Amino acid sequence: ARYASFMDRGRANMHLGEAQLVLAHDASVALGEERSGRMAGAKSTRERRLAEVFREHDAKATNHLDLAVLLLNSVPLRYRNSAPVRDALRKIYEKRLEYCLKTQQYDSLRRWLGLLKLDAIEPGKKETEASAESIRQAETALRGMAVLSLHTEPASADAKLHPLVERFDRGIISADPPIELGLTPLSRVQVRPGDYLLVVRAGDLRPVYYAMRLRHGEDIHVRIETPQRQPDGMTYIPAGAFLYGDEGLDSSPQRQEELASFFIRTTEVTFGEYHDFWLQLVDPGQRQSCMSHVGFTADTMVPTPAWDADGRYTPNIQAERPVVGITQFAARAYCAWLTQREGVPYRLPTAMEWEKAARGADGRIYPWGNGYKPEYAFTLENHEARQRFGLWAPPSSFPMDRSVYGVMDLAGNVREWTSTTFIRGGSLFQIRGASASTTQRFLPSYHASDAPFYPSDVGFRYVVSLDDWREATRKVY
């Protein structure tokens, strides 16, 4: 009677727990889709509800299955090794392993794998085919090996994989020596999980830098295109996944996103370059709306025009410094002018494009890594730089303020306009980065802010997609 009671209650909890696992997994998938579909803004009611539903089903599944294991292990000793008990335990462990693999819960995976080997396999007998496959998948994940396949265009490119390690005095750097992968295409190369910089060099073309994060047991297929030509003064960001946002942000929770290949201006647009655009304007209204207005002190109530009506610079404005004091409309007008002049559809970066260019694929906090030192970037805390440069420094003055792709000044110096609004359809555009006038609070690459109408510390850089660049240059070459 005791055996039957424990078995019935154990099986009942097992079935309840398995049902909750299915519901928890469905909720996690729906939650991921809801998050990835939102560019910015507060969490939606649906997202909050899905997160609550997932936590509820996950907790119920754990409670039911833990209780089922306890009940099955409580049958009288003479029944402990019977087939019904072992079959029920094995089924529980296999379901838990499958769930842990899907949700990448490796600590729980290790626990349930150990229980499967200990409790569900009868001494002196081999595991079932299903159990053997569950054990193989779990052990592969826990061994820490990822599987990488790589194809390039053009093919037969030399590929090197540089492990990325962080040192507080130098940020995240490429460890030596690199892993020599050989010539592409490459199929199912085993690599330890971690953060890497993949460097692909096809003949005499510029090398392509591909930041990537390899996870436990991941089977990843990467395709990298090396452009035949690249625009001067711009950096190539190849297509691929990256970690976007931060877990502490309701407006942009951390998640994995995919972006197509694009080029981004390596440094910010300067006063001199923007001044050339302004001088080409004929309409008085456009000249007024696109004028740069600058406040040279913290208590400036009315910003000063950066040049007069004849284009003569105001004192303290230097052509080689990044342009500031312009609206988002004016930055877009510059991109439109440059597009017309060069025949390439330049535009402001989206918030996602800006963030990927700044932080690579590994979710690092700053372009250089996760540790902070005031001298790494030009912010209010960098007193030495403020004394040396004033309000803005020439581009590339801070070598640590460099992303894994080679884009400069994405952390400090001046903040930058993007084309993304805080709320879809809203009127406030996201401004990314910090400046010499802001504190380090603005430094994280996921941080977004807005600004007064004529912000004296906000400039911009531009981007063009690989497809648009290729189409535009095809007409020329």
Side-chain angles (χ1 to χ4, degrees):
R2 290 183 59 217
Y3 168 75
S5 175
F6 282 124
M7 286 296 297
D8 289 344
R9 291 162 59 198
R11 284 171 173 160
N13 277 279
M14 177 181 71
H15 294 315
L16 290 171
E18 289 173 351
Q20 293 296 324
L21 285 181
V22 172
L23 295 173
H25 180 255
D26 289 346
S28 71
V29 172
L31 179 60
E33 293 174 349
E34 180 71 14
R35 285 175 171 173
S36 64
R38 171 166 56 82
M39 291 289 289
K43 289 181 180 179
S44 66
T45 302
R46 172 174 164 77
E47 183 176 339
R48 294 180 184 277
R49 182 173 60 81
L50 285 171
E52 183 178 346
V53 169
F54 168 72
R55 288 192 295 268
E56 179 182 348
H57 289 310
D58 185 76
K60 286 182 177 179
T62 299
N63 291 338
H64 281 302
L65 294 176
D66 282 351
L67 180 56
V69 171
L70 177 63
L71 289 166
L72 292 169
N73 278 315
S74 298
V75 299
L77 187 59
R78 65 178 179 274
Y79 298 111
R80 179 61 187 81
N81 287 324
S82 65
V85 173
R86 290 191 177 278
D87 288 344
L89 287 171
R90 187 188 69 252
K91 187 175 181 182
I92 292 172
Y93 301 150
E94 288 171 358
K95 291 291 185 182
R96 287 296 304 193
L97 288 178
E98 180 184 4
Y99 177 76
C100 290
L101 282 168
K102 287 180 178 178
T103 55
Q104 297 182 355
Q105 298 179 28
Y106 294 110
D107 288 340
S108 295
L109 180 67
R110 186 173 286 106
R111 174 201 172 199
W112 290 99
L113 174 62
L115 288 172
L116 175 59
K117 289 181 173 180
L118 179 66
D119 285 354
I121 302 172
E122 187 174 349
K125 292 189 176 180
K126 285 190 173 184
E127 63 269 22
T128 65
E129 185 175 337
S131 294
E133 178 61 18
S134 296
I135 290 171
R136 187 193 67 77
Q137 292 181 1
E139 287 181 337
T140 298
L142 291 174
R143 271 199 306 270
M145 300 303 287
V147 178
L148 171 65
S149 298
L150 174 62
H151 291 78
T152 60
E153 183 184 336
S156 193
D158 181 64
K160 293 182 174 65
L161 200 59
H162 296 257
L164 297 178
V165 297
E166 181 158 23
R167 298 176 183 169
F168 185 68
D169 60 334
R170 297 174 62 189
I172 291 180
I173 62 172
S174 298
D176 291 323
I179 302 170
E180 300 282 351
L181 297 179
L183 295 178
T184 60
L186 298 166
S187 179
R188 303 192 62 78
V189 179
Q190 289 198 355
V191 184
R192 291 195 176 278
D195 297 325
Y196 293 93
L197 181 64
L198 177 62
V199 181
V200 171
R201 188 183 296 270
D204 295 331
L205 300 177
R206 292 190 205 174
V208 172
Y209 300 95
Y210 185 95
M212 62 194 309
R213 166 166 284 184
L214 298 178
R215 297 175 176 86
H216 288 273
E218 185 175 28
D219 192 344
I220 183 170
H221 296 257
V222 175
R223 292 185 177 275
I224 296 178
E225 179 177 355
T226 300
Q228 295 292 324
R229 294 176 297 274
Q230 299 190 30
D232 293 335
M234 301 189 77
T235 299
Y236 180 52
I237 313 296
F242 76 109
L243 285 178
Y244 174 73
D246 182 71
E247 288 298 340
L249 295 178
D250 285 346
S251 61
S252 183
Q254 190 174 81
R255 59 192 185 271
Q256 185 162 285
E257 293 286 353
E258 292 269 352
L259 282 178
S261 301
F262 64 96
F263 299 96
I264 187 167
R265 166 99 177 205
T266 306
T267 58
E268 296 132 342
V269 174
T270 64
F271 269 110
E273 291 166 323
Y274 185 84
H275 186 249
D276 289 341
F277 148 71
W278 188 88
L279 290 173
Q280 302 298 314
L281 297 176
V282 177
D283 182 82
Q286 284 187 314
R287 282 197 157 205
Q288 182 177 358
S289 62
C290 292
M291 171 61 76
S292 164
H293 290 74
V294 180
F296 292 100
T297 61
D299 57 354
T300 299
M301 298 299 294
V302 180
T304 303
W307 47 81
D308 63 21
D310 296 323
R312 291 187 293 265
Y313 284 121
T314 300
N316 298 321
I317 295 295
Q318 297 172 301
E320 73 275 10
R321 303 297 171 97
V323 65
V324 293
I326 61 171
T327 64
Q328 201 262 5
F329 166 81
R332 286 191 285 115
Y334 176 90
C335 292
W337 168 78
L338 191 64
T339 293
Q340 185 176 22
R341 190 182 75 172
E342 299 189 3
V344 176
Y346 297 114
R347 55 179 173 78
L348 291 179
T350 66
M352 279 192 183
E353 288 171 334
W354 193 98
E355 188 168 324
K356 182 177 181 180
R359 71 193 310 196
D362 52 19
R364 63 184 65 187
I365 299 174
Y366 314 110
W368 57 81
N370 297 302
Y372 165 73
K373 282 188 175 183
E375 63 268 27
Y376 282 0
F378 195 4
T379 63
L380 199 61
E381 288 84 1
N382 195 337
H383 304 297
E384 181 181 344
R386 190 64 182 259
Q387 291 177 351
R388 178 183 176 189
F389 296 113
L391 291 174
W392 321 285
S396 304
S397 296
F398 299 86
M400 287 297 295
D401 193 352
R402 179 183 187 276
S403 80
V404 67
Y405 302 107
V407 188
M408 303 301 299
D409 304 319
L410 285 165
N413 203 14
V414 305
R415 293 187 286 160
E416 300 180 17
W417 286 113
T418 74
S419 63
T420 302
T421 56
F422 279 95
I423 300 174
R424 190 170 296 174
S427 58
L428 289 177
F429 289 92
Q430 292 188 38
I431 298 171
R432 292 303 186 103
S435 75
S437 301
T438 68
T439 65
Q440 65 178 25
R441 182 174 67 85
F442 289 73
L443 272 180
S445 298
Y446 50 77
H447 181 84
S449 58
D450 56 12
F453 187 64
Y454 282 124
S456 293
D457 68 334
V458 180
F460 71 103
R461 67 184 79 212
Y462 48 82
V463 301
V464 61
S465 72
L466 173 61
D467 286 344
D468 285 345
W469 162 257
R470 187 163 41 210
E471 180 62 26
T473 55
R474 184 180 290 124
K475 302 172 184 176
V476 177
Y477 295 94

